[in-house]
Amino acid sequence: MVKILARYFPILSWGQEYNKASLISDGLAAVIVTIMLIPQSLAYALLAGLPAEMGLYASMLPLVAYGIFGTSRTLSVGPVAVVSLMTASAVGQIASSGDVSYMAAAMLLALMSGFFLLAMGLLKAGFLANFLSHPVIAGFITASGIIIAFSQLKHILGVNAQGENLLQLLISLFSQLQYTNLSTLAVGLPVLVFLFWVRSGLKALLLTLGMTEFSASMLAKTGPVVGVIATSVAAYGFELGNQGVALVGQVPVGLPELQLPAMDNPAWKHLLISAIFISIIGFVESVSVGHTLAAKRRQKISPDQELIGLGAANIASSLSGGYPVTGGFARSVVNFDAGAVTPAAGIFTAVGIALAAIFFTPYLAYLPTATLAATIIVAVLSLVDFSILKKTWSYAKSDFIAVTTTLLVTLIFGVEIGVACGVFASLALHLYKTSKPHMAVIGEVPGTEHFRNIHRHKVITHSDILSLRIDESLYFANASYIEDRIYALLEQQPKVKHVVLMCTAVNEIDLSALEALESINMRLTDSDIKLHLSEIKGPVMDMLERTHFLSKLSGEVFLSHHLAVSKLADSPRQTQPLNWEI
């Protein structure tokens, strides 16, 4: 009974093994992540167009919920840059930032995202996220990072610039440059430079001073906290608020009230598609991080249970006054490096954030928004990865087209259309690749029973046998293409009496492909050519045996391709390949 419950409540599994050593490791990691997460939470709430406290609220109960239902031992859940941008884009279409309706819509968006993720998890539909390819995700995140960075420059300059995409942002920023607030710039620019230096140079400096690798790495993560404290003190001491420097202002003290967002809010109709996109992007990002970190410790995660864990986290965020959350790469890596061994580290982090909300929020009133903007810019620029363009160009032009299209569409038209384009590009890429599968005329490698591509190896062939390997499952999208290629090859070699399809790479044959095979069999029979199959996988053979195809097949089904050629060959063996063009 416990094992069954542990599948849906992983805390029952790792909780049984919890000990003092785990408590110490998780506690230390929680302290470090809490210090890092406080300024991040505030900054990402700013990015989402929400009050600062909602970033803190989204970093409490979601971590507890994921700790109960999630399977990754080290994933840290909370607000992240891309999801915050998508939230701002979605909610900004139906309400104005700062309005009560805007906050209500953000909480409703988290609830809808949570329900969608939960439903996918219960239906074990985690595989659907695989249709969003890595190059497309990389292109979308790179474009999003650029948009986010430029969207935060208005806070560094102290101007009012708006825009849903890069072009709009650039035009708006350029038109507002003359109104730059020098006091705001004097705060934001030094913090920005400092944080860039912290990210690239502080660790090396600390190592030269004799610190250990671990201590230097962890201390370098506290840079944003130093920036928050220094600029808050400066804003208070020099009364920068009176000089036009935008400050966070009063933040409510204490914990959020638990309440369910209004289910009759008509905004759900406008947020539905956005909730789905946010769920998919968040899940893909989270699972990618979870798999990477789990592999380093020879652990594993369950994608379907991760859907349930993330769904629970988003529902918890909605109930506690937060907005959509997912697993964050940066803080998950910090959590991992800090020594976290179980999800209890996330629960302890939630406690730390809660204590900060109770005791430290009054001190956030003098925090300049320029500091939070600098924190966001430094964080998101690490997401920008133009190397994916070079990799895909040299490896696969189709992937290059997909990643470039997604990147450009996101930059030009915004994140909503960018995500839709990414999903479409991923599906189109899959269909394109599988609709024209690789097909190889094969021959026997001398002295072996192996068959290889005649254009890559010196092999033995027979003029009366067309041995053809199809490197893809047969389904509606490629059935006609395969049929046409077979006929084209036969036109090149009129002496062929046997066509043998090697099916080692065929995992499935759908009804459309079966009808194509029946058509090929009938046409070849009319031409006095027999169709044979070799090396069919068991599940595929089971499907074929439930049809009349095998009884009407003009040829035979062979266990191996070697047996087929050995039995069928009438013409002399040729050590030089025939002149096939495929």
Side-chain angles (χ1 to χ4, degrees), residues 162-350:
Q162 303 296 331
E164 292 287 326
N165 54 59
L166 183 60
L167 184 60
Q168 292 176 357
L169 284 169
L170 288 174
I171 294 174
S172 183
L173 283 169
F174 185 77
S175 66
Q176 293 290 315
L177 279 179
Q178 58 183 320
Y179 304 113
T180 299
N181 184 292
L182 296 180
S183 297
T184 301
L185 185 62
V187 172
L189 188 59
V191 174
L192 189 62
V193 173
F194 170 74
L195 292 179
F196 273 120
W197 174 77
V198 165
R199 180 175 288 269
S200 60
L202 180 57
K203 179 181 176 181
L205 176 61
L206 295 175
L207 289 174
T208 59
L209 294 177
M211 276 195 174
T212 63
E213 177 77 18
F214 174 79
S215 299
S217 296
M218 294 302 104
L219 195 58
K221 305 297 182 183
T222 63
V225 177
V226 175
V228 166
I229 295 174
T231 54
S232 296
V233 171
Y236 176 78
F238 296 103
E239 298 183 349
L240 296 180
N242 295 332
Q243 301 176 37
V245 176
L247 305 177
V248 169
Q250 292 297 325
V251 176
V253 178
L255 302 178
E257 295 183 6
L258 299 182
Q259 57 181 353
L260 188 69
M263 301 299 291
D264 58 350
N265 190 333
W268 73 267
K269 299 177 182 178
H270 304 281
L271 297 175
L272 181 59
I273 300 300
S274 297
I276 294 173
F277 284 156
I278 287 174
S279 300
I280 294 174
I281 293 295
F283 172 65
V284 171
E285 182 179 355
S286 182
V287 167
S288 175
V289 176
H291 275 307
T292 300
L293 297 181
K296 291 183 178 181
R297 293 181 180 173
R298 297 187 178 181
Q299 299 169 347
K300 63 180 181 179
I301 66 173
S302 167
D304 291 327
Q305 186 60 34
E306 282 299 287
L307 283 166
I308 294 176
L310 292 173
N314 276 279
I315 293 173
S317 182
S318 175
L319 296 176
S320 57
Y323 67 100
V325 298
T326 192
F329 176 76
R331 60 175 166 270
S332 295
V333 171
V334 171
N335 195 39
F336 180 91
D337 291 341
V341 292
T342 73
I347 297 175
F348 296 153
T349 300

Side-chain angles (χ1 to χ4, degrees), residues 522-536:
M522 292 177 59
R523 182 166 171 177
L524 294 186
T525 300
D526 293 340
S527 301
D528 198 24
I529 300 174
K530 291 187 176 181
L531 176 65
H532 309 269
L533 305 176
S534 73
E535 303 189 22
I536 299 179

